[in-house]
Structure formats: structure tokens, C-alpha cells
Amino acid sequence: MTKEWKPRIVAFFCNWCTYTAADLAGVSRLQYATNIRVIRLMCSGRVDPQFILEAFARGADGVLIGGCHPFDCHYVEGNYKCLRRYEMLKRLLADMGIEAGRIRLEWISAAEGDKVKRVVNEMSETILKLGPLGLPKKFEQWDMEMEHFAEQVARKEAAAGCGCAAHAAAAGAEPQTRETTHA
Amino acid sequence: MKYSYFPGCSLKGLGRAYEESLLPVMAHLGVEVQELPDWNCCGATAYMSVDEGRASVLAARNLAIAQRMGLSVMAPCSACYLVLNKTQHNLAEYPAMRQTVDRALGAVNLTLKGEVPVRHPLDVLTNDIGLEAIRQKVTHPLRLMGEVTEKAADGTLVRRTGVRPLKVVPYYGCQIVRPYATFDDKNDPTTMDRLIEALGAEVVTDYRLKTKCCGGSLTGTVPDAGLRLVYILLKEALKHGADCIVTVCPLCQYNLDAFHAQIASRYEPVRIPTVYFSQLMGLAFGLPARELGLHRGVVPMPALAGPEAVAAAQPAVA
Amino acid sequence: MSAKQEEIRIGFYVCHCGHNIGKTVNCPEVAKFVATLPHVVHSVDYKYMCSDPGQELIRLDIQQHKLNRVVVASCSPLLHEHTFRGACAAAGLNPYYFQMVNIREHDSWVHADNPVEATEKAKALAQAAVERVAQHKALEVKRVPIHQDVLIVGGGIAGIHAALTIANSFENTPDSGKPPRKVYLVEREPSIGGHMAKFDKTFPTLDCAACILTPKMSEVGAHENIELMTYSEVAKMDGYVGNYTVTVRHKPRYIIADLCTGCQDCISHCVVQPEKSPKLMAANEFNEGLDKRRPVYIPFPQATPQIVLIDPMVCLNFRKGVLTDKCKKSCVTACGEKKAIDFTQKETTEELKVGTIIVATGFKAFDSRRKPEYGYGVYPNVYTALEVERLVNASGPTGGHVVLRDGRTKPKTIGIIHCVGSRDERTHKWCSRVCCMYSLKLAHLLHEHTGAEMYNFYIDIRTPGKGYEEFYGKLLEEGVNFIRGRVGEVTDWAMTPEEEGKLVIRVEDTLAGMVRRIPVDMVVLATGLEPQADAQEVRRIFNMSCGTEGFFLERHPKLAPVNTFTDGIFIAGACQGPRDIPDTVAQAGAAAAEAMALISRGFVEQEPNTAFILDAECSGCKSCIPLCPYTAILFDEARKKAYINEALCKGCGTCVASCPSGSIVQNLFEDDQVFSEIHGVLAYD
């Protein structure tokens, strides 16, 4: 891909507040960064941490979650659950080396079209500064490394002459299974 | 408590009574005050309207000197107070102006980083020293000998000579509340009202003109406009039965005090003394009147009843 | 119908929406791109998809191309998802095999300067939808029967009109042969009537407000199908669409309602008499505090119901609301054999079962103290508009004589200041819509009562209704002085001898180009309308949203002004935004009609996005049980599995996200569907 990198942010917006606010931003013709792609859910409580991880894994550079303000969730408390999961997920992401600025949770009410614009623009800038996350490429690379890893180790040890199953296999001998070794 | 002190041109000139009364009062309250060394004119309202950039440099120099002293600045003159605050606002909001000022200050080996707190004496007295501490230093509550009306034992009203509190109109002028109302309400400030009460005097609470313009320099340049404003301020004070007006600004004090002849001939006589709040404080602390610059006013203050007279007279008001 | 059992054939439509999308997003390019995606057999662009021909196109293509999935990229699904689902259903395709892409509100309208990137974004979003829709399953809409009783919250003109409209409908006539539809009207004041009961005359016809209102109030009070609950508030709302259980709290009047005849002997015999103990009286709320009332009182002479009440904060028999038994209770003696007074009465609660709710809780007048420069509360002769309504009213505190606060002086000049609190960056940005008209009305009435010289200080004169501009013309002929300028301040200090003793209005007369000082005897503040003080609490009870200004939010500002986002809950009148009486009545009628339409249909359709548990996979860990705010998830102790009560599930998906084994599935928002959307939105680089 020789194209200039542009940040890609996946957003999970709750139907009642944030999605409506984004519609309002549209109706008000507020202009904001193009880097965002919205996925509509009924409630921010539906946001499974797996969605966020999947988004990063598929190439998202940032993930934005939008829900109703505390007290205002259409389903009473979904946003609180989202908040709890988000707090825990942030730590997990940090451990995986994904910078804190790449994930953001915002409470945006149905009347706050301008907040949508502000948050999207801010996040775009943040991600621009952080640079691409590029997980799909990294996965590809690691997969390739893992494929060749076995061969490399086998070659090294063959050179050193240690005689374990891996070498035998690399050298073309039949793989030793539990049955064959015990036979 | 220690503050650096920016007198500005007026407190060394026309408004010297302000300095003469404020410094002893501060000392009396145990507040250390250190004049800014080598301070320069702040530019006042005039220069700001002519060239905001240059005026900011002028004012910023004082701030830089104050920052070097490491103390908050106390600026009693209303114009100085406003200009210093306005300069800091401008520097924070306009990077271009900041650059100009930094360059100019740099040329004389001065720097101004961030902000220097600029405080008004009313702010310091009310919030840092506290009215309770002031109340405790009052040895001569501001009282007058005068006619008092009271109810006799049989229920009839009688008039007699007695002791009553000095009735004071609190006049703030415009510059310490507009455009920045930092330590008081911009429509109805009350710091000076409460201070006056702490001194044992009676405040005129419904003086609606307490933040209305006195005319500023217009009394000299466009007397038709300026003197009319002064006339109304004085007339309303008299209408509320005040004994004196108390103010915070040298120009206000001058306008209200020095034009009685012209006002009498244009409109009608409205003689009432105008003094600084620090002068009233000095009187309440028992400091000698002469040392408070009270002789510099045009309309003299009425003689206050001393503690002996208060004790001797039948107390009409406790 | 599983997606695996037959070939998936997706039809994709991208709408130009005239210029709205077409000007920025290159629709043909998007259609061409989508045609290359797997399972897409038909991909076109079209000018107006939501129009009849557009929908017809979908219907025909489904049959012609044997489509079994449809994706439309156009405006917001909140607007037209329903429309296109209908088109699919009309062609015999399950409507839930449809997915919508928002490339207008979320794309063309917000990236107008970036046509290239907007088109790229449209492609990404379209791919997401195409991948998602392949995972969709056929679903059936749930039909929930709707309870036929109606709750109306708020007894002002809106609530009254809605109540009468519904209570008089066909089902409630003897001919219908059906059980009558009951209307509950809950009002928190002791009487219905709202703000309109306080007005003197209404613009522009100068009809007497009480004369047109009180017949309706009596009708409500006497109607056998309206259960009137005054001095009551809604505490809680439970249940689900079409089947609400509402808890109503009845505040104690300390009067047994059924026994009170409204004779008011208790009032005239109360120990607290205005001549003897004026300090023990309370400010009369109905007269805006201009006079006082006794502890036992009736809010106003035409109050409905005609039942008195006792104010425990003022009554001598209580101390700050707590019964002390200190008073000699001459009221009880006066009541005699009726025995209607009961000091031990307590607050009670009641549960109502209703199918639809109309919220008509009205507005609150702007508090003039927030504009201290106008001197309200500082200068005695500055009045609010509502105070003046009571002054000019013949049944008001002064019997209709307009006099100043001293009770004697007739004002000779009066200034009316428009836009107090409205059109103001520091208080409320909005225009309160009715103040110009009522200021004109008051100018007319005050002049009529006093012969005073009238001044109206305005920014614009807004007369949008029928007969309104003509009314303004009449006032111009009456010689009212109109000065265009926002008043800077009202003050009492005089610049000239003529101004001594008067209130001076300082204003820039923008048409004359000068600053003026107008001395007047009386100042009237045309205060704006704002949401009720407890609007936030009320909206949470009914699960509604509020707009930025704090008024209740309608589903769509143009096409659904009386609906909320919840089916079966409607709003009407000033609680939705400032409006005059004709518009309020119209909205009340609209809400009533919509409620009745819903009830006569007999059912409400529930979006089939509920969750269900895959029995085989549930491990019985119970993580999901405490998460549901509607207690829709239950645990079967015998089988050690959780299960969901579909009727209670509202489809939020919180439990779905929490299940550690992924055994909870949400219809329409399955994990796989969302995963494919994520994949699709990022696949296109």
C-alpha cells in the first residue's frame, strides 16, 4: 500500500443518544474529520470487549465508544456496564502495548451534535500523532516468523546435532507420536 | 502577609492622600507592604486606547519587576489595577502580543512567565486579612454627634442631640468591577459595604449608582457630560441622607470632591465630602487625621465623635 | 431460514437523495465498487430511494433478481429503516433481511468539502453493511397487546383538551358496546387549569381566559370516564410499551374529598384572619404572591375540583408540617356534620395500569431575579407579566384595579420590557414565542384600565399567528409607543427633575439612533418560558430525552412533534417547547389522536431485537442475572440454566456482552453480525 496513511477509527455508537447526536451533527451540517466509521448498536452496554479487540486486530487505529450520560441510559444502566468493561479493557490494552489514546469512551447525549464533532476531531488528531497501529500487518509478519521459526530452530540444532523429534522431522524422519514412541 | 505595592503615578501625585492613609492602615494591621523598585507609569486608560501593544509592554514591565520580588502586587489605583489585569488577560489570549512583550522585556533583561497575582486592597482586606481582624482593631467606631430621633417612654417621637453612626455611601466606580469582576459582584459589589459596617458606620444600602461612571477625564474635556454625571452621584448621595461618600479611585475622589463650585453654578449646590476608604479605616483605628491626608480634601469631613463624647452622651444607638 | 442453506443474493442501492448525497459522494462509483463484493448480484444508484418509484424498484428487483438480502445506502436508519423494511416485506422478503447504511447524516452532510474521502468512507460503510446483511436471519415482529386506558400527566389546557378528546371518543359512548376507555388525569396542583387559569384575556381576540377554560374544566370534573387526580404526582413508571404500571402519589389535603361540598365555611371561620393576624397568612400562589391566603384555602374560585385543602406549613395545628394539635380548630366546628376535615390524613399511593401516556406538564416562567439589572424584587413597582395578569383580572387581588404596590396609586406611564430572559446569551438563547403577543395584549389591557401612556421596548415584534399582526396594527393605532432596543437597565436615580420619584428605563432607541431615558411609574417584565424546574426528574420517570434547552425531546421536529422515542408515550404543549394556546390545543389533540389510533389498533409492534439464551451452551454461571435492569433474565434452579423472558426484554444487549461463554444471542445484533460489520468497515483501505 503506497497510499498515504490516514487514521481509521471505528466507533460504536448507542442508538438512542450518540447515534442520534451524530445524526444531529449531520442535520446541522457540522463538518468533522473523515476518519471515523460508525457501527450502530442499541446500547453502549452491548459493546463486547471482543468487538474492540477485533477492531484493532482488523486494522483500526483507534476505537471510540459513545453512550448516554450516566443517569440517562435508555435502558437504565447499560452505560455503567460499558464503563466498567472499558476501564478493565484499557489495562489489558496497555499490557498489549496499545497506547491509551487509541481507545476512548465518551458520553454524548442526543442533543450534543457539536460534541460529536469535537470528539471525532480530537480523536483524529490524537491518532494522527500516535501513528498507525497496523496490527493486521504485524500479525502477518508474526505468522510468517512463526512459520519459519520451526525451520530455523531445526536448522540450528541440526548443525549442533541434538537429535530431538523436531530435527528428526526436519530431516525427514517420521514424526514420533505417543503411540510410536511407546510402541 | 506581605505584598509588593504598585502606587502608580496618581498615588504619588493627585491621590497622595490615598497612599498616606493606606500605608499606615496596612502597617496597623500587620501587613508588610514593599513598594516596587523602579516602577513606571502603567499607561492608565489613555495609553491602552491609543496603542494596546505598547501599553501592554509598559504595564508588563511592572509585572516583571513584581515577579522578580516573588510577591503578589497590591494596586490601589483603579486604573492601574484594571490595566495590569487587562495586560495579563491580553498576554494570555493573544500569542502575538505575548511575543512583542517578551521581546521588549528581554531587551532590558526582564522576563515575565505566566501570571502575577494583581490584588486590590479591598480584596486583600476582605479575603486575606478578614473583616473580623479589622473589627478588632477599631478603637474609634465612626460616630457623629448629631440630631437623633427616638421614641420616648410615652410613645411620642422626640428629637435630641445624640450620637449616631456616620452614614456612608459606598462608591466603587467602574474600573474595579468592569470588565473583570474578580473579587466582587459586577452589578452590586459589597466588599466595601461590609468594610464600612465593620468600622462601625452605617452603609447606605440602596445607593444604585455605586458602580456608575464618575465621568473620568470628561470633567475636564467635556464638562457638559462629565460634570453632569458627578452632579447626579452627589445629589443621589445627599438624597439618601449620607454624611460622606467613600471611594477607591483617585480620579473618582477628585471628580467628586473638586468641582463643587462649577456644579453649584450649573445645577445646584450638592456639598458632601468624598474620602478614601483607607482614610475612614485610619480614623476608626484612631490614627491622627492629619496623618491620613484628610486635610487634602476640598469638602471637609464632619468632626467625628470621639470615645469620650460617645461615653458622655446618652447612647441613642448602641 | 439459515444463510448457509441457500445462495445469498444481495441487492445494493445507493441513493443520491437529490444533491444531499449525490453532490459529495460519488454514488455510481460506490455502486460499482459494491458490485465487486461477494454475494452482491445487483448494485445500482438511484436519485430518491425513499420515494414511491424508489421503493417500487426494490420490490421489482427482489422478484426479478431473486434477491434475498437488501442493502440501501442513504440517510439515517432512524428516518427510513422502517420505510425500506416495508418495501422488502411488500415484495415477500422478510423485512429483517434488510440493512441500511447512513451516508448522509454521517457522511455527505459532514464531509462536504471532502468528496474523495467521503466516497471512500461510503464504500467502507457499504461493505460493512453488505458483509453484515449476509449474516442476518429472518425475524418476526412481536405484537404486544395494548391496554386501553390512558394516563395524562398535567392538568393544564393541553392535558384537559387531550383528556376530553379521548374520554369522548366512540368507545366511550353507549353505542359502542365496548367497555369504556378510562382516562386518568394527574395534576400536581390542587386544581386543574394550569397557567391559562391565571390569564385575564387571551390574544388576539381578547377572549376571557376563564370563560373559555372553566367550561372545559367543569366537563373534566364531571366526566364519568375521566378519573381526576389532583394534588397528585407520578412517582414511578414500570412495565413495557402498551402495558405500563404507573405509581401515583396522592398528597394529603387533610380533607376527605368525598365529603367536602366546597361550601368554604372552614375558610371563613379559620382562626387566622387577615385583619387580626396577617403575618400568619401565606402568599397566595395563584395571585403570584400579590396577596395572601389562609392556611385552609381553595386555590381560586373556579377550582376544579371544588375541594379545599390545608397547608401544613402555615396551619396553626401543624408546626412546619408536623401535626401538633395546638389550634382550636374552628374550621372543624364550621364544617359541622359533614366532618370533611381530617388532620391525620396521610399521603397515599395508587397503581394505575395504562397503555399510553401523554405528558403535558407545561412550562415555568423565567425568574426575573436572574436579570438584576431590571430591578425585580429591588424596586417595588417592577412587575412580572403573570403578576400583571392577576392585577388586571377582575377576580384578582385588586379586583381588576391596576394600582402600584402601595395599593393606591394609579400608574400614569407604564413600560413593558420584551424578551426578559429570552434571546439572551447569558440566560436563554431561544425566543419564547408568546411574549410579544402577550406584551401587546397587556399594553392594551393596561391602557384600558388606567389610561396610562404605554411604552413597549422590543427587539423584534413577533406575530406569527392568525390575527396576530392585525392585533399589533390595532395597538399602533391606539398610540402605544414602541421603542426598538433591548433595555439596558431599570433604575431609580434621576437626571432631571421630571425623573424624580420615577423608575427610569435606560435603553438604546436603535431606530432613532440614540440612548434614551424613559421615566415610568410601573415596569412590566415580559418574562420568557422555560422548562419546569423538575423537568429532568420527570423525563427520567417516563424514559424520555430532553433537548439542549431542557424541554422534552420529540421524535422528529417536523414529522413527529408529539411522539417520543418510546412508542405509546406522547408529549403535548409547552413542555415540548414554548407555544401559545392554539398550538398547545392542536398538539394536545394530536397526541390524543395518536394515542387513540394506537389503542384502536390494539397492539404495539416490538422491534425483534431481544436476546435469548442458547440452552445447550449456558454453563449456569449466573453472570448475566444481576445485569438486567428489567429483571428479564431468570434462573431455572432445576436445570441450572438461565433463561430470558422475551416479553420483558428490551433488547439493550448488556447481558449478551457479558456472557463468558457467548451463549446469549441478541437478534439483529448477533456477535457474528457485528464482527462482519467491523471487518467490512476496515477491509476497504
Side-chain angles (χ1 to χ4, degrees), chain C residues 348-479:
Chain C
T348 56
T349 53
E350 189 181 339
E351 271 189 8
L352 308 174
K353 289 226 176 328
V354 292
T356 49
I357 301 176
I358 299 177
V359 179
T361 47
F363 69 91
K364 172 173 156 303
F366 175 79
D367 182 359
S368 305
R369 267 169 271 258
R370 289 175 62 186
K371 296 287 285 176
E373 51 265 44
Y374 291 158
Y376 180 72
V378 171
Y379 305 119
N381 294 320
V382 175
Y383 291 78
T384 62
L386 276 175
E387 285 175 338
V388 173
E389 291 277 352
R390 298 313 302 151
L391 271 186
V392 297
N393 197 308
S395 57
T398 57
H401 297 291
V402 177
V403 287
L404 299 174
R405 304 264 189 196
D406 60 9
R408 292 186 318 265
T409 320
K410 242 169 119 160
K412 294 207 195 62
T413 39
I414 304 176
I416 302 181
I417 302 178
H418 291 218
C419 303
V420 175
S422 312
R423 305 187 67 185
D424 190 332
E425 289 279 340
R426 282 174 290 180
T427 49
H428 298 312
K429 287 203 181 137
W430 64 81
C431 164
S432 293
R433 202 178 171 118
V434 298
C435 326
C436 274
M437 280 312 294
Y438 80 57
S439 300
L440 296 179
K441 171 190 79 173
L442 289 180
H444 172 83
L445 292 174
L446 286 170
H447 181 73
E448 203 178 53
H449 282 244
T450 60
E453 182 87 24
M454 300 302 306
Y455 290 90
N456 280 51
F457 302 91
Y458 67 99
I459 307 175
D460 294 288
I461 294 283
R462 298 190 158 173
T463 53
K466 212 167 185 177
Y468 289 12
E469 182 66 21
E470 296 85 334
F471 187 70
Y472 174 43
K474 199 167 80 148
L475 281 210
L476 288 170
E477 285 171 25
E478 274 176 23

Side-chain angles (χ1 to χ4, degrees), chain A residues 142-152:
Chain A
W142 295 335
D143 282 344
M144 272 191 335
E145 283 177 21
M146 286 312 291
E147 257 180 59
H148 296 280
F149 179 65
E151 291 171 23
Q152 283 180 334

